[in-house]
Amino acid sequence: MRKFFSALVIIPLAIVFTVFAVANRHLVTVSFDPFNSSDPAVGATLPLFAVIILSAILGVIAGGMATWFTQGRWRRAARQREAEAQRARAELADLRAHVATASRNGTQRLPAPGSPYMAGERDKSGATL
């Protein structure tokens, strides 16, 4: 199904690019010399479709880089949260191992302080707990 949808998008795009390239194949001079446009020191003569497609590719790359740098703080925060979660998982595993070791050795766990079921206390009817 995925191949079908990618073909559904790629084939029409290829047709559009081919028609665009054939319609705009005349040569243009791209000049990087702002002082002498008639005889530029730095320039290139390329087909018009190549100039337009290269401009679009460079725009996509520049936009991707800008997005990458802008989202850097979110990636850093995600790495920090992942490290905190990893430490918490390790601490939990250590605590579980400690409890398992204590239960195997016969050590009883004490009730929480302030619990009504502390040893030596009595319930409402006076029975020893």
Side-chain angles (χ1 to χ4, degrees):
M1 192 69 161
R2 187 175 184 168
K3 287 183 181 182
F4 174 73
F5 284 123
S6 65
L8 190 66
V9 171
I10 290 175
I11 290 173
L13 277 176
I15 292 170
V16 168
F17 279 134
T18 304
V19 169
F20 179 77
V22 169
N24 296 294
R25 61 183 184 268
H26 58 278
L27 298 177
V28 293
T29 301
V30 180
S31 172
F32 296 104
D33 188 0
F35 302 112
N36 188 3
S37 62
S38 61
D39 186 27
V42 180
T45 302
L46 301 168
L48 179 60
F49 73 89
V51 172
I52 293 173
I53 291 174
L54 287 174
S55 298
I57 290 171
L58 290 175
V60 168
I61 291 171
M65 288 174 53
T67 302
W68 176 261
F69 288 126
T70 303
Q71 294 175 349
R73 63 180 152 185
W74 302 113
R75 287 191 307 277
R76 186 179 320 110
R79 282 192 304 270
Q80 290 172 348
R81 299 303 179 267
E82 181 62 30
E84 289 173 7
Q86 201 67 295
R87 283 192 296 272
R89 285 187 202 108
E91 184 178 343
L92 179 62
D94 289 344
L95 288 173
R96 285 182 177 167
H98 178 70
V99 168
T101 304
S103 66
R104 270 188 257 125
N105 292 339
T107 308
Q108 287 184 324
R109 293 177 45 189
L110 297 175
S115 171
Y117 300 106
M118 299 278 299
E121 290 191 11
R122 298 186 181 271
D123 65 2
K124 290 183 182 178
S125 63
T128 304
L129 299 173

